[in-house]
Amino acid sequence: MEYLKLNNGTEMPLAGIGTFLMEPKDAEAAVISALNNGYVLIDTANAYMNEKAVARGMKASGLKRENIYLSTKLWPSAYATADQAIEDTLKRLDTDYIDLLFLHQPVGDYIGAYKAMERAVKTGKVKSLGLSNFTIEQIQEVVDATEIKPAVVQVEAHPYYPQTGLKAFLKDMGTVVMAWYPLGHGDRNLIKEPVFTELAAKYGKSNVQIVLHWHTQAGNVVIPGSKNDAHIRDNLNIFDFILTDEDMQKIAALDKNMRYYTATKEALEGYLKFLPDFDRQE
């Protein structure tokens, strides 16, 4: 596993497994498989409704808690009571601390919620802070109103949408990007791009492995999700080669400024009305 140093001095793995859209039993099995195959980073969220399953998977793996990097996210409906939401999250994850805690969406009192996360950092319950799906303007708003700069920003990122402008903005803060939809939502058009087929043959890898390695070589953290043991293993087998500058330039030429997901203002506002009973997770 390769790591990068965050702006608060802690280290984070460059690759992990995501559990978005996984039912509890699938999330538990995927976490066990990932941790047994050399993964360190596990990503979940309140809204995924599988934090308890992730906790079971972590324990079943036999790894010590300090050898696992755990990230999760607070849902907007919990922002108004973020201090308690953090306590509830720790309980569901059956842990004393969270390595990386995000605000999941930029809606509601996210400034107040971020300040609650800062308090959790000061008491040792959270190690690093992050923002998920925030724009440059919203990130700047948080930075201007709080003390601790976000260590990680989680956004859609892939070769068709490499987040060049956002990464340039984050550079001075030392904030890194964690990519969701790192494979373009599994778009075969992206994965089967001729440049990836060419590079896969050159390095003896699959097209998917080339895309995932491109992310990590560009400094992005990747969290592809999978319930397939073979895919889980393959998605981590990406650190034994280096793309040349020419290779990276060819991939850069794929930038279409094309997103697969865009939340409307109405959808964001709707998140405030979505109040699942997180504690009733299986």
Side-chain angles (χ1 to χ4, degrees):
M1 177 60 67
E2 292 189 8
Y3 291 77
L4 52 75
K5 183 167 285 190
L6 301 179
N7 59 12
N8 61 2
T10 64
E11 289 191 335
M12 181 178 186
L14 269 168
I17 189 166
T19 59
F20 178 52
L21 295 180
M22 286 191 190
E23 294 294 327
K25 63 179 178 59
D26 293 328
E28 181 176 351
V31 167
I32 294 171
S33 176
L35 294 176
N36 286 341
N37 280 287
Y39 283 72
V40 178
L41 166 61
I42 308 297
D43 181 72
T44 182
N46 293 171
Y48 298 172
M49 299 297 285
N50 58 25
E51 287 174 312
K52 290 184 178 181
V54 166
R56 292 194 299 271
M58 288 167 56
K59 285 197 175 296
S61 76
L63 291 183
K64 294 181 179 179
R65 172 64 185 90
E66 58 266 30
N67 294 329
I68 300 172
Y69 193 101
L70 178 62
S71 71
T72 191
K73 310 169 194 74
L74 297 184
W75 189 245
S77 58
Y79 289 178
T81 55
D83 291 287
Q84 184 59 51
I86 293 169
E87 295 294 335
D88 295 340
T89 300
L90 289 166
K91 184 177 179 180
R92 284 191 297 273
L93 289 167
D94 194 18
T95 185
D96 295 328
Y97 68 96
I98 297 163
D99 294 281
L100 174 59
L101 182 61
F102 292 96
L103 296 181
H104 204 151
Q105 297 286 353
V107 61
D109 183 15
Y110 51 80
I111 299 295
Y114 195 89
K115 289 180 178 179
M117 297 199 309
E118 288 183 316
R119 291 192 287 273
V121 169
K122 292 174 182 178
T123 58
K125 296 173 183 176
V126 174
K127 304 298 183 184
S128 300
L129 303 183
L131 300 171
S132 181
N133 303 307
F134 279 60
T135 65
I136 289 175
E137 293 75 20
Q138 291 161 340
I139 295 167
Q140 188 64 61
E141 181 187 2
V142 172
V143 170
D144 290 343
T146 59
E147 299 176 25
I148 301 175
K149 290 182 175 63
V152 181
V153 169
Q154 188 183 95
V155 289
E156 176 180 348
H158 45 75
Y160 284 169
Y161 195 70
Q163 293 283 4
T164 304
L166 175 63
K167 292 181 72 170
F169 168 74
L170 296 176
K171 185 175 180 180
D172 287 344
M173 290 192 292
T175 302
V176 304
V177 163
M178 178 188 281
W180 57 261
Y181 283 179
L183 300 170
H185 200 32
D187 182 359
R188 292 184 64 82
N189 290 325
L190 186 155
I191 295 171
K192 295 297 184 181
E193 282 281 358
V195 64
F196 297 130
T197 301
E198 171 194 333
L199 294 175
K202 177 180 178 180
Y203 293 104
K205 296 292 181 179
S206 70
N207 290 39
V208 166
Q209 288 171 321
I210 295 295
V211 177
L212 293 176
H213 177 87
W214 166 80
H215 275 286
T216 61
Q217 189 166 324
N220 299 341
V221 177
V222 288
I223 47 168
S226 179
K227 296 178 284 187
N228 181 294
D229 286 343
H231 291 169
I232 289 171
R233 288 192 296 272
D234 289 344
N235 288 345
L236 195 64
N237 185 20
I238 59 173
F239 294 111
D240 57 350
F241 67 102
I242 297 175
L243 297 170
T244 67
D245 290 343
E246 181 182 3
D247 296 336
M248 294 293 282
Q249 289 167 8
K250 289 180 180 179
I251 297 173
L254 297 177
D255 182 0
K256 297 182 178 182
N257 195 35
M258 186 183 89
R259 301 183 66 163
Y260 291 89
Y261 175 80
T262 301
T264 64
K265 182 175 183 293
E266 291 74 20
L268 288 173
E269 291 173 347
Y271 291 150
L272 285 176
K273 301 175 183 177
F274 174 41
L275 184 59
D277 186 352
F278 301 124
D279 287 329
R280 294 192 58 156
Q281 297 179 24
E282 297 176 16

